[in-house]
Amino acid sequence: MRRRILQSTLLAVAVTGVALGLPLGYTAITVVHDVTHRDLANRARQVAAQLDNQLADHQQIDLAAVEVLRPEGGQIRITGLVSGDRELGVSPGPDEMSETVPMAQHGKVTVAASAAPKRTDQLEVAGVVTLLVVLSVGIGATVATVTARRLAEPLRHVADRAARLGAGDFRPDPRRYRINELDKLAEALDTSASALAQLLQRERELIGDVSHQLRSRLTAMQLRLESLAMHADGATAEDANAALEQAERLSTVLDELLAAAHAARAVDAEPVDLAAQLPIMVQEWRASLRQHGRALRLRAPAGLLARATPSRLRETLGVLLDNALRHGGGTVHVSARSGDAMVVVEVTDGGTGVPEDLAAHIFERGVSGGGSTGVGLALARALVEADGGRLELSVPKTATFSIFLPVPRADDVPDLRWPTEASPR
């Protein structure tokens, strides 16, 4: 996009420079030609006037009196006189230009000069015009480059914002570009992000509610069928056992469907090197905390891998760090460690923590202790659970949130795969 904007602007500048430069150059050359010939014509008229005065006083023609009017290196020729033709100076040669005017008595006055100085002046003027055109194109190119960058960077940022939105990063972006159309697009993306976040949360709640209700009903039905399976009537017991078998199959199918839905949500999960990625994910929050006189400390051991979707993990950390910035205090600590078959990422701040009456409901949608929307933590838990992990409030006081992430599977990381017969040992 930037290259296209730059190319189109430079093309417009170049066309404008040529369209203005050619007529301007031609006009300047013509002006030099006219001025030079006008000067020769003025000199010829002045010579003719002085010679007419001499003839009117019955004097002999004295060309020395008009010497000052002869161009440098040029010649004055008087023709058609009764006394014969007269010349003052040497001929400029074949490369001459001249102007002729008639005398009042008899004859004509011709003033000739070399055309070389005129051509030199024309070349100088053409060079000045060319320099101005090149300078104008250069300034235009500079303006085009700045304009292309100013337009391309917001477009690139909007494209990145849309890509993050598609990857599950639903955080609103406060950046605006002072371009009306792009600002409207950014506001539309923020609105869409909020709507998608709420939709994802409702979907998670619906799946959880449906799963809970179905499991409860199936469990109750299985208990009832198990009682009927011990009935004294053999036919009744046989039908109860058949129904119990179908109920168990239905429970298995339900588990498989929930597992498939979970796997579909986590399809983008991949091994994440926390030591390399966590500094990048939390970098943007350092400046915000520093503005409030607070610091951020990060500790992540090298080689610690977790299976997660990077955009979801970044969104979850963003929610927790924003929560620490708004409601916490002191230094914020982000640490990663290996747990029991899980990898744990903890976010802790030095604030007063979460009130006891709020701790049990902190992840419920619409629950907030600071006047916010109450969507962030619910969304963060949904994103972590979509990757097969979980998000918990480990310590209410000092507010320690723990993200439990699964470790990568052996087939996700080449170094973790079992060696085959063909592979070197």
Side-chain angles (χ1 to χ4, degrees):
M1 176 62 69
R2 177 181 175 182
R3 185 175 62 181
R4 292 182 179 179
I5 296 174
L6 184 58
Q7 287 178 346
S8 60
T9 308
L10 287 178
L11 179 60
V13 171
V15 170
T16 303
V18 172
L20 293 178
L22 290 179
L24 182 60
Y26 176 78
T27 302
I29 292 174
T30 302
V31 168
V32 172
H33 177 275
D34 293 342
V35 168
T36 303
H37 282 270
R38 190 178 301 115
D39 178 66
L40 292 178
N42 288 334
R43 290 173 182 269
R45 282 192 291 268
Q46 292 180 33
V47 170
Q50 291 193 27
L51 294 180
D52 283 334
N53 290 334
Q54 291 180 6
L55 292 175
D57 293 338
H58 304 285
Q59 299 177 7
Q60 294 293 329
I61 292 180
D62 183 12
L63 295 182
V66 296
E67 174 68 25
V68 294
L69 297 176
R70 182 173 66 88
E72 183 178 357
Q75 184 182 47
I76 298 176
R77 296 191 293 267
I78 297 91
T79 59
L81 292 176
V82 177
S83 59
D85 297 341
R86 304 284 297 275
E87 292 181 355
L88 177 62
V90 297
S91 174
D95 185 24
E96 75 167 30
M97 55 181 179
S98 62
E99 288 291 334
T100 302
V101 297
M103 296 175 60
Q105 302 296 330
H106 297 283
K108 296 179 180 178
V109 175
T110 300
V111 177
S114 175
K118 181 190 73 172
R119 293 195 182 93
T120 301
D121 292 341
Q122 288 177 329
L123 288 177
E124 290 178 354
V125 171
V128 171
V129 171
T130 303
L131 180 61
L132 291 176
V133 171
V134 171
L135 183 61
S136 300
V137 172
I139 295 175
T142 303
V143 174
T145 303
V146 174
T147 303
R149 184 184 297 112
R150 183 174 180 271
L151 292 177
E153 287 183 355
L155 290 174
R156 189 182 298 112
H157 186 266
V158 169
D160 293 341
R161 175 76 179 97
R164 294 197 307 270
L165 181 61
D169 187 350
F170 302 130
R171 285 175 296 171
D173 193 336
R175 180 176 176 180
R176 293 298 181 264
Y177 319 100
R178 292 182 296 179
I179 301 176
N180 188 41
E181 292 76 7
L182 291 180
D183 288 345
K184 289 182 179 180
L185 180 57
E187 292 174 1
L189 287 176
D190 284 346
T191 302
S192 300
S194 178
L196 288 174
Q198 296 179 11
L199 179 62
L200 180 64
Q201 175 64 15
R202 287 196 296 267
E203 177 189 1
R204 172 184 170 276
E205 292 176 351
L206 177 61
I207 292 176
D209 292 342
V210 170
S211 173
H212 176 73
Q213 294 298 325
L214 287 177
R215 290 183 185 279
S216 298
R217 300 299 183 270
L218 279 174
T219 301
M221 184 172 63
Q222 287 174 330
L223 292 175
R224 180 61 177 168
L225 289 174
E226 288 176 356
S227 299
L228 290 176
M230 295 183 293
H231 197 275
D233 185 1
T236 301
E238 183 179 356
D239 291 341
N241 283 323
L244 182 60
E245 182 179 355
Q246 293 297 324
E248 290 176 350
R249 289 180 180 177
L250 180 59
S251 178
T252 302
V253 170
L254 176 61
D255 292 338
E256 292 176 351
L257 289 175
L258 291 175
H262 174 74
R265 291 196 301 270
V267 66
D268 294 329
E270 60 186 43
V272 176
D273 186 351
L274 296 180
Q277 295 299 320
L278 285 181
I280 300 174
M281 294 180 179
V282 305
Q283 180 61 35
E284 61 180 296
W285 293 96
R286 292 185 183 275
S288 299
L289 288 166
R290 192 179 297 113
Q291 291 177 357
H292 291 78
R294 301 170 60 185
L296 188 148
R297 299 286 183 267
L298 173 63
R299 182 174 60 84
L304 186 60
L305 300 179
R307 179 174 173 80
T309 305
S311 60
R312 290 173 178 170
L313 180 57
R314 181 173 57 251
E315 166 69 8
T316 302
L317 286 172
V319 170
L320 297 180
L321 291 173
D322 182 66
N323 189 70
L325 177 63
R326 292 173 180 269
H327 310 298
T331 301
V332 178
H333 295 271
V334 179
S335 61
R337 58 182 175 84
S338 179
D340 296 334
M342 300 287 282
V343 174
V344 185
V345 179
E346 294 180 333
V347 179
T348 307
D349 66 78
T352 58
V354 181
E356 294 183 1
D357 57 341
L358 186 63
H361 309 282
I362 193 66
F363 293 105
E364 295 179 7
R365 185 172 181 270
V367 175
S368 173
S372 59
T373 60
V375 177
L377 289 175
L379 173 61
R381 170 173 274 189
L383 292 175
V384 174
E385 291 180 351
D387 281 339
R390 69 180 190 275
L391 174 62
E392 303 290 346
L393 176 61
S394 303
V395 181
K397 298 302 180 183
T398 69
T400 299
F401 289 89
S402 299
I403 306 172
F404 297 88
L405 298 172
V407 297
R409 300 191 300 264
D411 57 350
D412 285 337
V413 185
D415 294 342
L416 298 181
R417 297 176 183 171
W418 291 99
T420 60
E421 295 181 358
S423 62
R425 297 181 181 276

